[in-house]
Amino acid sequence: MWKKYKSLKLSLKIIVVIIAIIFLPVTLLLLSIELLIKNIKSKKKISSVISIFLVLFMLLINYSFVEGIKLSQDPEYIAQLEAEEQAKEEKIEAEKQKTLAKQEQEQKIKSEQEAKKKAAQEQKVKLEQEVKAKEKATKAKAEQEKNQKENITKQKTPNVKYDALQQLYLDIDNNLSYEEILKKVKKSKLPYTDQEYSSGQTIKVAYTSEVAKQRYADEGDNVQISFNLNKKTNKLNFSTLEYFNHKKFITIFDYESGTYWDFRDGKDKGLYINNYSNVTGNKDEKYIKSNSKENQLKYIFEYKK
């Protein structure tokens, strides 16, 4: 075979090589058979045995090659391969979709958590701003009240000389403690009584000891300060400050808490005037509201029956 190949023209040699490459398994089988024949003719036993195994091996390869060609032409096999390929692609696509869905779910959860965190932070900031605004408003209101109080104090009735009881009424403020008020009373050097009751304490100040009594007292000008006992803290809380002018028969008072005639439970705190001209009407009719102690005293000075 090799001698025949050598004797061929170049063009035919090329064609034969191409065909041999295309059918390489067949070519190798033919070459192995030729080798086997040579070894048998030359009586080489070992080479012949090797050649036999080589031929068998090449037969196996050619059988596989032929079966592969058959399978490649089998519609059912091709369909099976396509189905397997399609199933593989679908599985890959399903895994991809599953991964995307998982990523979207994680992103959604992350977005929701971030949104909640942001909302909580905004709510916290809002609450802090509200607290600050409330504190600022409270502080401004307190400052305003303080300024008003200072202005009222400065705007005392000109050319008016207050007597000792009237000055004591002006000096006592409802934010003072029992001890501080008692100290002011003692400083005035006026007669006074300090009586303890089940509901609290009462200090009465007058120009005479007989008027300063808390029971069976003579009539006359006096200042009376009442305190309520807080049973939880065992402390005295300011309740009412009142000044009675016997000549004009008028009471002016500063109500803060507790029970005082028509006043209850700290409602309608403030400064009032009672001229006793209306004893049957309601609270608004019986008591005249005032904006300062000076104006309360001014009312007494200017009052005419």
Side-chain angles (χ1 to χ4, degrees), residues 153-194:
T153 304
K154 291 177 181 178
Q155 295 172 1
K156 290 183 178 181
T157 306
N159 303 322
V160 175
K161 187 175 181 180
Y162 300 112
D163 63 27
L165 284 173
Q166 293 165 354
Q167 188 61 52
L168 181 64
Y169 179 78
L170 291 172
D171 291 342
I172 294 174
D173 197 13
N174 57 29
N175 61 2
L176 296 177
S177 66
Y178 163 78
E179 291 78 8
E180 290 171 327
I181 291 174
L182 183 60
K183 187 176 180 180
K184 284 184 177 292
V185 170
K186 290 179 179 179
K187 189 176 180 181
S188 70
K189 296 182 180 180
L190 293 170
Y192 75 92
T193 55
D194 186 6

Side-chain angles (χ1 to χ4, degrees), residues 25 61 89 145 151-152 168 196 210 231 235-236 240-241 245 256 293:
I61 290 175
E89 290 178 355
E145 290 176 353
N151 291 335
I152 289 169
L168 181 64
E196 181 180 350
E210 293 300 317
K231 293 182 179 180
K235 290 184 178 180
L236 293 170
T240 310
L241 166 68
N245 185 283
E256 182 68 17
K293 290 180 179 179

